[in-house]
Amino acid sequence: MKLTAKQGKKDKIHISVDGEYLLTVDSNYWFSCGYISGDEIDSEELTAFKEAAASRCAFNSAMFSLDRRDYSAAEMRRKLSPKYGEKAADEAVEKLCELNLINDERYAENFANSLYAYKKYGKNRIKSELYRKGIDSDIIKNVLDEIFESEDADNVQRIVEIIRKKYYNKMDSRESRQKVFAAMVRLGYAFSDIRDAMDCFSDDEYYEDF
């Protein structure tokens, strides 16, 4: 089989085998891979070349994505695997972790603090969001402990402030207060804290059902 390379736009090199398009790599990879256009290549060498190229393309794609925002390791694997395959995705993520460009502890800390400070999420919701990002349970525990201890979080007062800011005009009936209660649950706060917070806005028997 004959391996041929054709210059594409910018630094792209289009690779073909026996005249049929195979894949596209960057010029740095092509000129360092040991082949030149017109070389003969057997099936075993071709397989190795395709796997190495996929790993390189996955890494480049990951770098492009990281320019826009941070990713967890699991999140990046899920992003890369459908296009480049699991092996290439794993290799790319492993290299990024070695370079400290992906760091799950750093990612979890920054993400959790953002959810706590800006979205006003409670502990349960933050925990759920971190699991969804593929963060290890031990890292999640450490991050949550740090947030809710170092900040000396007063969940009841946080809920009171959220209600005053967003739901104060929706506390005038049983039905509307049920909706406010449900909204606080979705934000990740414990039932007991929500009850205590809502007690600040009413002196009736509304809370007996919760």
Side-chain angles (χ1 to χ4, degrees):
M1 295 181 290
K2 181 180 288 187
L3 192 70
T4 57
K6 181 179 180 181
Q7 182 71 50
K9 293 182 179 179
K10 296 183 179 180
D11 68 338
K12 302 300 183 183
I13 303 292
H14 304 301
I15 308 300
S16 298
V17 175
D18 289 341
E20 293 187 6
Y21 172 78
L22 179 66
L23 49 80
T24 297
V25 296
D26 63 274
S27 58
N28 287 336
Y29 174 76
W30 170 247
F31 292 120
S32 66
C33 71
Y35 293 102
I36 60 174
S37 186
D39 275 354
E40 292 292 326
I41 188 170
D42 61 31
S43 58
E44 185 176 339
E45 292 171 331
L46 180 60
T47 297
F49 176 79
K50 288 165 62 177
E51 289 179 351
S55 180
R56 173 64 176 241
C57 291
F59 180 82
N60 288 343
S61 177
M63 290 291 290
F64 182 80
S65 296
L66 288 169
D67 278 342
R68 285 159 172 72
R69 69 172 180 87
D70 204 4
Y71 283 79
S72 69
E75 194 178 18
M76 184 60 79
R77 285 192 188 93
R78 289 196 294 264
K79 182 178 179 64
L80 297 175
S81 291
K83 185 173 183 179
Y84 303 105
E86 291 185 4
K87 182 178 180 181
D90 286 342
E91 290 174 349
V93 170
E94 182 179 356
K95 186 174 182 179
L96 290 164
C97 290
E98 290 175 356
L99 295 171
N100 202 35
L101 296 174
I102 287 181
N103 182 310
D104 275 1
E105 292 183 0
R106 181 182 64 220
Y107 176 88
E109 182 178 352
N110 291 338
F111 186 55
N113 275 297
S114 176
L115 296 179
Y116 179 83
Y118 300 109
K119 290 188 175 292
K120 305 301 180 183
Y121 285 175
K123 189 173 185 178
N124 293 337
R125 180 64 182 273
I126 295 174
K127 182 178 181 179
S128 175
E129 293 294 327
L130 289 173
Y131 271 123
R132 191 170 63 84
K133 295 294 186 179
I135 302 299
D136 181 80
S137 58
D138 288 339
I139 295 177
I140 293 176
K141 181 180 183 306
N142 291 337
V143 167
L144 292 179
D145 286 348
E146 183 177 348
I147 290 176
F148 288 91
E149 288 178 9
S150 64
E151 295 290 343
D152 193 22
D154 185 344
N155 290 325
V156 173
Q157 185 57 38
R158 279 171 63 84
I159 297 168
V160 168
E161 292 173 359
I162 293 170
I163 293 174
R164 281 178 177 159
K165 184 174 293 186
K166 296 184 64 176
Y167 301 100
Y168 190 73
N169 62 346
K170 298 180 180 179
M171 297 289 290
D172 56 354
S173 71
R174 178 182 178 84
E175 182 179 359
S176 60
R177 277 182 268 181
Q178 286 177 326
K179 292 179 179 179
V180 173
F181 193 99
M184 296 303 101
V185 172
R186 289 193 296 272
L187 284 178
Y189 293 100
F191 282 16
S192 58
D193 289 336
I194 300 172
R195 291 192 201 99
D196 290 344
M198 295 188 75
D199 277 340
C200 298
F201 298 91
S202 178
D203 56 3
D204 58 27
E205 301 295 323
Y206 166 71
Y207 304 104
E208 290 182 357
D209 293 338
F210 296 101

